[in-house]
Amino acid sequence: ITKLRKQLFAALLRQEMAYFDTQTSGELVSRLTNDSGTLQDAATVDMSIAIRSLASLIMSMIILFVTSWKLTLAMLGVVPATSLLASFMGRLARKVGKTYQDKLSESGRVAGETLSSMRTIRAFRHGEELMSTRFTEATDATYRAGR
């Protein structure tokens, strides 16, 4: 994962300047740290769970056929429908997770911009109030995306 992070950072450095006009530094930093961590989980934890689940499935099927082959055949009619439902729920969870990550990145961007520009913000009459409102809105959007 460290190698992936290094490659991603090197790729970011090679981007045209127009790219940085559309992407904020807070979002890029958040993606660099959090998304690569998510990949690490997928590469290690998820793979371990898949192998363990497959072994458990095979052993369970053997035990079920030995115990009651008729009941096992009936169960095999129900399990595919349940699997399809679980697959749908997994896709939905990934979509919600991506939305949450985007909103979290946005609140980080607002906080980063605010803290790095405190002199400018304080120079304006209602600057602190405006930035506090923007951060509150971004944080509330993150909360709503995570519910």
Side-chain angles (χ1 to χ4, degrees), residues 115-127:
L115 296 174
S116 67
S117 306
M118 280 306 292
R119 290 187 189 282
T120 306
I121 289 169
R122 288 205 173 148
F124 290 100
R125 185 173 181 188
H126 299 286

Side-chain angles (χ1 to χ4, degrees), residues 53-126:
S53 296
L54 181 62
S56 178
L57 175 69
I58 292 170
M59 291 304 297
S60 296
M61 293 303 293
I62 291 171
I63 292 169
L64 287 170
F65 268 110
V66 169
T67 304
S68 173
W69 65 270
K70 291 178 185 178
L71 186 58
T72 302
L73 291 177
M75 179 204 64
L76 288 175
V78 174
V79 169
T82 307
S83 296
L84 288 174
L85 181 61
S87 174
F88 171 74
M89 293 303 291
R91 275 189 240 119
L92 183 63
R94 277 192 296 276
K95 182 180 176 185
V96 168
K98 181 177 180 347
T99 302
Y100 178 79
Q101 186 70 31
D102 291 343
K103 298 297 182 184
L104 186 62
S105 174
E106 175 64 17
S107 65
R109 181 190 67 80
V110 171
E113 284 179 3
T114 301
L115 296 174
S116 67
S117 306
M118 280 306 292
R119 290 187 189 282
T120 306
I121 289 169
R122 288 205 173 148
F124 290 100
R125 185 173 181 188
H126 299 286

